[in-house]
Amino acid sequence: MAGAVPYDSEQSAHGDSASGYDPNYVPDSVKSFVVHMYRQIREKNVYEIHQMYETSFQSISDRFFKDVPWPSVDAVATYVDNDHVFCLLYREMWFRHLYARLSPTLKQRIDSWDNYCNLFQVVLHGVVNMQLPNQWLWDMVDEFVYQFQSFCQYRAKMKNKTEQEIALLRQYDQAWNVYGVLNYLQALVEKSSIIQILEQEKEGLEQFTATDGYDYSGGSNVLKVLGYFSMIGLLRVHCLLGDYHTGLKCILPIDITQQGVYTSVIGSHITTIYHYGFANLMLRKYTEAIREFNKILLYIFKTKQYHQKSPQYEQILKKNEQMYALLAVTLSLCPQLKLVEETVNSQLREKYGEKMLRMQRFDDEAFALYDELFSYACPKFITPSAPSYDEPLVNYNQDAYRLQLKLFLYEVKQQQLLSGIRTFLNVYSTISLAKLASYMEVDEHTLRTVLMTYKHKMHSVNSDGKIVSNMDTNFYIDDDMVHVVESKAPKKYGDYFMRQIVKLEGIMTDIDRIKLEINALVRHLQGSPLDAADPCLAAAPTSAAQISVFDHVVRAPEDPILGVTVAYNKDPSPVKLNLGVGAYRTEEGKPLVLNVVRKAEQMLVNDRSRVKEYLPIVGLADFNKLSAKLILGADSPAIQDNRVTTVQCLSGTGSLRVGAEFLARHYHQHTIYIPQPTWGNHVKIFGLAGLAVKTYRYYDPATRGLNFRGLLEDLGSAPSGAIVLLHACAHNPTGVDPTAQEWEQIRQLMRLKALLPFFDSAYQGFASGNLDADAQSIRMFVRDGGECLVAQSYAKNMGLYGERVGALSMSISGFSERLTVSVKDEQSTGSADVASRVESQLKLVIRPMYSNPPIHGASIVATILKDRAMFQEWEVELKAMADRIISMRKQLFDALRSRGTPGDWSHIIKQIGMFTFTGLNSTQVAFMTKEYHIYLTSDGRISMAGLSSRTVPHLADAIHAAVTKAA
Ligand code: KET
């Protein structure tokens, strides 16, 4: 069926607050929500959709629809071109909200079923061409199963049903029928080919997990991901029906030991493991249950703080508690504590320590505890079939639960016999049957039976049909003796103790030596005659007569970039040419001080009021404000909302380092991904700050262009939250930048995976000659409202290399403020406050590093940025530098072509910014330096700014010779 649920008087009886509810009234915020959402869906902006779905929907619900439904779909349809699919999605959310906050009527339950049928039909017939966030797709499957379960519960409570309700139940007997539910889930699995996709992924033929199920080539992820989540839906439904074996079979295609798309959404992760663990517990596969409960509980323990604001938070906590209860139960039946990690163990002790002790006794009280914990933690079992409506109306909604409880307790009872055995087997290595029988107060025959039962009960069948053991202690009977064998090798403590002993001995020796030294010193100070034979005094390492205590220090190699200048300076040749460091030179080969810089300096010198006092720790306030504007744009909403904090640092390098130190202290993820290749200093800056540095593919030597696919794959498989270093423009050393469209895809991927962007902007204005154009990549990330770090340098674009002027800006997420304008007043101070707290911590990073930054360079920059005319003058000079570089590209390219140098040199023209990544290898570079006195970095990078019309022919000759003569 289509159209809205008629919200008639009978159905709106949800208490007083609903009495004024008009299903056709659409508040402005809802209007803008649906219009915006519809547009984002059409434009496939998954990140925005995700944000609206997670944040705006909740806040609008809280504000307007706390205890009434959202406006009817008919009322909003006009705002979204009556789009059929969008209306189905809207209704799905409409019902979900209704189920969560009110209690649905029978008619509404039936209508919701209809809506799911329509929605799944559309998806199954492949006419949905959109990209929806995994969170949403998961919620759909999750809610579908939940409503099914809720319907079964509702229907089973027959006692007070009205005649009208029973008539409806009879009439719509297909609604939420178990076969229909299973069929839809199964159809989604099959139609999506997800099982084949996951198979092929193992052979490297498919990319599903690495992209979190998203399709970056413009396709739709909806069917695939719904199919994927449906496997988990099936597991859950089969568990609700008590068919654990089939349930586990349904998720076999998902490798539960690895991260996967199911771990990309916390709800799906928890639901999967909860049911997986529970099914294993019921099938007596205790070790498997313990292992997975342990892992997920540890995961929740470590990450729950990040979900505090999520609408799922309560649910997460509840499942967490239930899984502790299940773990307590499982461990009591199978005491494999060594599978449990320390943190989880201590939580478990706190919650259930005492109960677990009592449960091990297997008396009536223990039995009651098993009952209690099972009942608290088990799924809401259902009876899937409809009752006979002609018989007396009784409630039977507890039947399924009682049956499962009975089965479980029956198993527990059987284990009772076995607990004694376990105790004795743990103590003895061999014991005679007679003795054991007497300890256990049974006859030998019974004991043999019990021992066999123990063996049997401690085994189970795994998914491949193989019998596996859950035993911690194993035994065999030889004649009349029971021999116990440890089934798992005990941990080797020997090594550990040996290492500790050696370490302690070392410490003792050190202490002895220190004692001797102090004694000698005391004697010395007391004026007692020096004992030349005293080994301590004689060897005092700082005494003048000795060789240096730093004698062991080895010579470090020169820096790969700055070392080129050192070598160049030593070369006496008149034709020598330095193309190593990225520093601008004029046509005459001279360093350039911009006119506008000279002017600003003159103004500063003339201003007698200027003093040389310390700057504040964060630097010059004006400079910081103007720098943020320059990079983020004067109209940046982030700046307007006061959620940007900027600190002056020592040029680009210092800004990167301060940012890195801050992240190492205050950010939960300590892995940073840097492009391969990148500016060589990045590895050291981030590594020394304590971050783990990994690379993502960036450059493809074959095409001398961007390896976009590799980049997406690598970022796609980065752990959620990882930091990613991005060159804002004019990538160093490759000169290859993503296109605007590629940037957009990178942004979407990063936002989805919550990867944290850290931009290095060392060349703003040098790529295109235009300051705004070169900042587009950054502004794209700031515009979406998410978090972002930027390190800015004025070394190149203002030619202030040696003045060390730069800035670190951090833009704090301001999502809620921007999208839910109507609820702004409730949240508006949040981000600005975070920004100021962040700044306070940045000060703690800077103060012990260099206290505060230098004043001169920042004053020059502030003077220029502040004054309109000077700013324009700077733009003209900057453009001239960029243009000269571009003309050098053309000249070099022409020169090589005219020489007929082998190879395609078009990349010289295509690449942008200060550098050309020539593709020359290190042998060819060495040849050029030796024979032609041309200095460049060994990776073949040349600084185009170091060239001039005069030196181009010399360089072209050198390259020609290197390519034709050197290997
Ligand atoms: N980031 C990048 C990408 C970069 O190329 C440089 C400098 C910097 C940051 C730092 O510059 P600062 O001077 O701290 O603002 N690169 C050139 C100079 C150098 O290596 O120090 C270069 O690659 O030649």
Side-chain angles (χ1 to χ4, degrees):
M1 64 158 270
V5 172
Y7 216 85
D8 56 35
S9 56
E10 175 232 63
Q11 287 164 319
S12 61
H14 296 304
D16 291 337
S17 54
S19 50
Y21 173 75
D22 172 4
N24 294 318
Y25 170 66
V26 185
D28 283 349
S29 54
V30 172
K31 232 179 269 174
S32 86
F33 175 78
V34 290
V35 168
H36 202 65
M37 181 72 115
Y38 178 52
R39 199 180 71 222
Q40 302 297 355
I41 289 181
R42 270 198 332 219
E43 291 173 7
K44 293 202 172 147
N45 294 329
V46 195
Y47 175 63
E48 276 78 5
I49 302 171
H50 185 83
Q51 291 299 326
M52 294 195 67
Y53 176 79
E54 279 281 277
T55 315
S56 315
F57 189 76
Q58 286 311 321
S59 42
I60 297 177
S61 293
D62 285 344
R63 170 102 169 192
F64 295 102
F65 309 111
K66 248 192 161 67
D67 46 15
V68 290
W70 273 59
S72 74
V73 72
D74 285 347
V76 299
T78 48
Y79 303 111
V80 294
D81 307 336
N82 286 303
D83 185 275
H84 181 53
V85 178
F86 186 88
C87 287
L88 290 171
L89 290 173
Y90 179 85
R91 292 194 83 210
E92 200 270 338
M93 287 170 72
W94 189 96
F95 280 117
R96 192 133 41 92
H97 168 259
L98 181 84
Y99 269 78
R101 304 205 180 211
L102 310 158
S103 45
T105 63
L106 175 55
K107 184 69 175 50
Q108 285 166 335
R109 289 176 187 273
I110 296 168
D111 287 345
S112 180
W113 159 254
D114 264 346
N115 192 56
Y116 273 116
C117 294
N118 293 335
L119 182 59
F120 289 156
Q121 288 293 351
V122 174
V123 174
L124 285 167
H125 291 111
V127 283
V128 172
N129 174 30
M130 28 184 188
Q131 189 102 258
L132 293 183
N134 284 353
Q135 175 73 54
W136 192 349
L137 295 169
W138 162 253
D139 287 346
M140 261 180 223
V141 174
D142 189 47
E143 180 74 11
F144 178 63
V145 178
Y146 165 74
Q147 291 190 12
F148 163 61
Q149 181 258 106
S150 161
F151 183 85
C152 292
Q153 295 286 342
Y154 164 88
R155 186 180 50 189
K157 284 187 208 156
M158 289 301 291
K159 215 164 158 190
N160 295 321
K161 291 269 179 290
T162 63
E163 267 179 35
Q164 203 188 0
E165 281 169 329
I166 290 177
L168 267 179
L169 279 173
R170 270 187 215 271
Q171 187 187 347
Y172 294 100
D173 62 345
Q174 287 306 301
W176 295 113
N177 78 88
V178 65
Y179 298 109
V181 170
L182 288 171
N183 276 342
Y184 272 118
L185 293 173
Q186 191 60 39
L188 287 166
V189 174
E190 279 166 23
K191 199 78 198 255
S192 66
S193 305
I194 187 65
I195 298 181
Q196 292 84 326
I197 292 175
L198 292 175
E199 272 304 310
Q200 291 188 335
E201 186 173 50
K202 282 189 207 141
E203 287 153 34
L205 300 171
E206 272 282 352
Q207 289 281 328
F208 182 76
T209 312
T211 57
D212 266 349
Y214 291 100
D215 189 324
Y216 291 105
S217 50
S220 164
N221 67 336
V222 174
L223 177 58
K224 263 193 296 188
V225 177
L226 275 181
Y228 179 93
F229 286 139
S230 292
M231 295 191 281
I232 301 165
L234 283 167
L235 163 69
R236 184 167 159 206
V237 174
H238 286 298
C239 281
L240 293 177
L241 298 169
D243 184 354
Y244 308 108
H245 190 72
T246 310
L248 288 181
K249 251 180 145 166
C250 290
I251 55 156
L252 268 184
I254 301 177
D255 183 355
I256 225 87
T257 63
Q258 303 281 325
Q259 293 220 339
V261 174
Y262 78 101
T263 57
S264 70
V265 177
I266 180 93
S268 120
H269 192 178
I270 291 178
T271 301
T272 309
I273 302 301
Y274 167 80
H275 289 94
Y276 179 84
F278 185 78
N280 274 298
L281 162 63
M282 294 302 275
L283 294 173
R284 281 197 279 113
K285 293 191 257 181
Y286 302 125
T287 44
E288 190 59 22
I290 295 169
R291 206 172 280 135
E292 291 305 324
F293 283 142
N294 169 59
K295 265 202 314 213
I296 187 86
L297 289 169
L298 186 63
Y299 177 81
I300 298 174
F301 181 83
K302 286 188 178 160
T303 57
K304 70 171 178 235
Q305 48 172 318
Y306 306 117
H307 298 285
Q308 269 171 15
K309 289 202 181 126
S310 141
Q312 288 94 25
Y313 190 58
E314 254 174 53
Q315 194 55 25
I316 295 173
L317 293 186
K318 178 164 172 217
K319 278 276 168 280
N320 185 56
E321 291 306 309
Q322 287 185 323
M323 286 192 284
Y324 271 110
L326 291 176
L327 184 60
V329 165
T330 322
L331 281 169
S332 303
L333 292 171
C334 173
Q336 292 261 27
L337 254 184
K338 56 184 159 232
L339 297 176
V340 182
E341 202 273 343
E342 202 34 58
T343 321
V344 176
N345 194 16
S346 75
Q347 296 273 311
L348 184 69
R349 298 284 135 208
E350 211 171 279
K351 295 176 201 283
Y352 292 110
E354 202 241 334
K355 284 189 177 164
M356 283 172 76
L357 281 179
R358 287 195 276 152
M359 275 153 86
Q360 250 143 41
R361 290 208 299 262
F362 290 94
D363 49 16
D364 280 353
E365 195 202 349
F367 210 62
L369 282 172
Y370 275 106
D371 183 335
E372 177 194 319
L373 295 198
F374 180 90
S375 304
Y376 164 67
C378 69
K380 280 206 155 101
F381 298 107
I382 51 167
T383 307
S385 54
S388 155
Y389 299 114
D390 304 323
E391 288 180 8
L393 303 178
V394 290
N395 283 352
Y396 65 101
N397 58 314
Q398 295 280 322
D399 289 5
Y401 150 70
R402 283 202 203 100
L403 176 65
Q404 294 299 323
L405 178 65
K406 204 162 124 191
L407 284 172
F408 173 72
L409 290 180
Y410 183 66
E411 185 64 42
V412 171
K413 235 241 141 108
Q414 296 188 8
Q415 298 276 350
Q416 191 167 11
L417 268 177
L418 312 177
S419 71
I421 295 194
R422 181 178 291 126
T423 318
F424 289 112
L425 292 182
N426 279 338
V427 179
Y428 288 90
S429 55
T430 45
I431 182 172
S432 74
L433 273 173
K435 203 165 165 189
L436 184 54
S438 81
Y439 284 161
M440 291 192 58
E441 297 170 6
V442 288
D443 60 47
E444 269 192 53
H445 180 72
T446 313
L447 179 62
R448 274 180 196 272
T449 318
V450 172
L451 284 171
M452 289 316 290
T453 318
Y454 184 78
K455 280 234 157 179
H456 170 70
K457 285 286 175 194
M458 282 289 124
H459 284 80
S460 54
V461 182
N462 73 6
S463 53
D464 301 333
K466 287 207 189 86
I467 293 177
V468 290
S469 164
N470 289 304
M471 288 211 255
D472 45 350
T473 34
N474 200 351
F475 62 89
Y476 61 92
I477 302 172
D478 183 18
D479 267 347
D480 286 340
M481 292 299 279
V482 183
H483 299 267
V484 179
V485 277
E486 289 275 349
S487 61
K488 309 222 164 63
K491 261 193 183 164
K492 296 268 185 290
Y493 291 111
D495 273 3
Y496 174 79
F497 281 118
M498 291 305 284
R499 261 184 278 126
Q500 296 306 315
I501 290 169
V502 171
K503 206 161 142 192
L504 281 174
E505 274 185 343
I507 295 174
M508 304 284 276
T509 324
D510 284 351
I511 292 174
D512 281 349
R513 216 197 56 230
I514 292 167
K515 243 191 305 190
L516 279 172
E517 280 176 13
I518 292 175
N519 285 343
L521 190 63
V522 170
R523 252 177 291 141
H524 175 70
L525 293 175
Q526 286 171 343
S528 65
L530 278 182
D531 180 356
D534 187 327
C536 291
L537 264 193
T542 42
S543 62
Q546 293 298 312
I547 53 166
S548 167
V549 286
F550 303 116
D551 192 48
H552 62 283
V553 175
V554 294
R555 182 170 310 285
E558 286 288 354
D559 180 84
I561 297 175
L562 301 183
V564 174
T565 307
V566 176
Y568 167 85
N569 286 339
K570 284 188 195 150
D571 188 337
S573 164
V575 296
K576 68 178 177 175
L577 183 57
N578 186 4
L579 305 177
V581 71
Y584 186 82
R585 297 285 176 270
T586 60
E587 260 296 297
E588 292 70 46
K590 296 269 177 317
L592 175 71
V593 178
L594 301 184
N595 272 328
V596 69
V597 168
R598 289 219 189 277
K599 227 187 248 178
E601 281 188 311
Q602 200 55 58
M603 287 164 66
L604 295 173
V605 171
N606 293 346
D607 181 353
R608 302 295 297 174
S609 70
R610 286 182 54 80
V611 288
K612 302 284 187 190
E613 285 294 277
Y614 286 133
L615 281 181
I617 297 176
V618 295
L620 198 61
D622 264 1
F623 165 85
N624 288 337
K625 250 193 235 138
L626 293 160
S627 294
K629 269 194 187 166
L630 181 70
I631 194 75
L632 304 182
D635 56 350
S636 168
I639 297 179
Q640 283 159 12
D641 295 348
N642 277 329
R643 50 187 173 80
V644 178
T645 176
T646 305
V647 291
Q648 180 193 333
C649 297
L650 305 195
S651 210
T653 311
S655 309
L656 289 165
R657 183 68 192 255
V658 169
E661 297 279 345
F662 174 84
L663 291 175
R665 284 189 208 179
H666 300 287
Y667 186 54
H668 68 280
Q669 248 293 0
H670 281 180
T671 307
I672 182 161
Y673 282 75
I674 60 174
Q676 169 62 14
T678 190
W679 180 50
N681 217 10
H682 281 148
V683 185
K684 297 168 217 163
I685 290 172
F686 293 109
L688 287 172
L691 300 174
V693 181
K694 294 197 172 153
T695 60
Y696 61 89
R697 278 171 286 172
Y698 188 85
Y699 179 73
D700 182 357
T703 59
R704 294 205 170 118
L706 186 67
N707 182 353
F708 190 51
R709 201 187 152 93
L711 178 150
L712 290 182
E713 279 173 16
D714 291 348
L715 295 189
S717 48
S720 159
I723 311 158
V724 178
L725 182 102
L726 300 158
H727 292 227
C729 68
H731 182 272
N732 175 13
T734 66
V736 174
D737 283 355
T739 62
Q741 204 188 1
E742 285 165 341
W743 271 121
E744 174 56 19
Q745 285 188 51
I746 296 171
R747 185 190 68 81
Q748 292 211 4
L749 171 64
M750 287 186 49
R751 290 312 194 192
L752 264 172
K753 297 210 51 161
L755 302 176
L756 181 66
F758 193 159
F759 277 100
D760 181 357
S761 175
Y763 301 95
Q764 188 185 4
F766 253 79
S768 66
N770 181 302
L771 286 158
D772 288 321
D774 286 358
Q776 281 315 314
S777 57
I778 297 174
R779 292 181 191 176
M780 211 177 236
F781 275 81
V782 175
R783 213 179 302 126
D784 72 19
E787 239 108 20
C788 183
L789 281 83
V790 187
Q792 261 172 288
S793 166
Y794 290 96
K796 331 281 159 138
N797 57 11
M798 236 181 242
L800 292 175
Y801 306 91
E803 293 291 357
R804 312 309 291 144
V805 209
L808 171 74
S809 285
M810 291 180 61
S811 174
I812 302 301
S813 166
F815 225 97
S816 36
E817 281 155 333
R818 200 164 61 80
L819 275 178
T820 53
V821 185
S822 53
V823 284
K824 187 167 175 166
D825 44 357
E826 284 168 18
Q827 304 159 339
S828 57
T829 52
S831 312
D833 195 50
V834 178
S836 89
R837 277 179 273 142
V838 164
E839 179 171 310
S840 73
Q841 286 294 341
L842 284 169
K843 284 158 70 173
L844 293 194
V845 173
I846 293 169
R847 171 70 166 146
M849 258 200 216
Y850 53 86
S851 198
N852 46 64
I855 195 169
H856 186 63
S859 306
I860 299 174
V861 173
T863 307
I864 296 172
L865 296 186
K866 194 156 35 184
D867 183 290
R868 217 186 146 83
M870 288 177 92
F871 187 92
Q872 282 167 355
E873 198 177 334
W874 173 43
E875 284 185 307
V876 173
E877 286 192 83
L878 176 59
K879 175 95 175 36
M881 289 195 283
D883 284 348
R884 197 183 83 73
I885 292 174
I886 293 170
S887 93
M888 283 305 113
R889 292 186 179 281
K890 180 92 180 62
Q891 289 184 29
L892 178 61
F893 175 70
D894 289 344
L896 288 173
R897 220 175 30 184
S898 71
R899 279 165 181 73
T901 310
D904 171 11
W905 297 94
S906 61
H907 56 283
I908 296 181
I909 304 175
K910 283 186 214 141
Q911 294 175 354
I912 49 178
M914 221 168 189
F915 305 107
T916 291
F917 206 42
T918 58
L920 294 166
N921 62 35
S922 57
T923 317
Q924 291 164 332
V925 170
F927 170 86
M928 285 164 60
T929 306
K930 184 157 174 281
E931 302 295 330
Y932 288 80
H933 304 275
I934 294 177
Y935 289 80
L936 60 153
T937 51
S938 61
D939 57 2
R941 182 191 88 167
I942 55 181
S943 169
M944 296 308 284
L947 269 183
S948 66
S949 310
R950 191 173 49 81
T951 50
V952 163
H954 181 53
L955 175 61
D957 288 344
I959 294 179
H960 188 86
V963 172
T964 48
K965 291 187 199 139

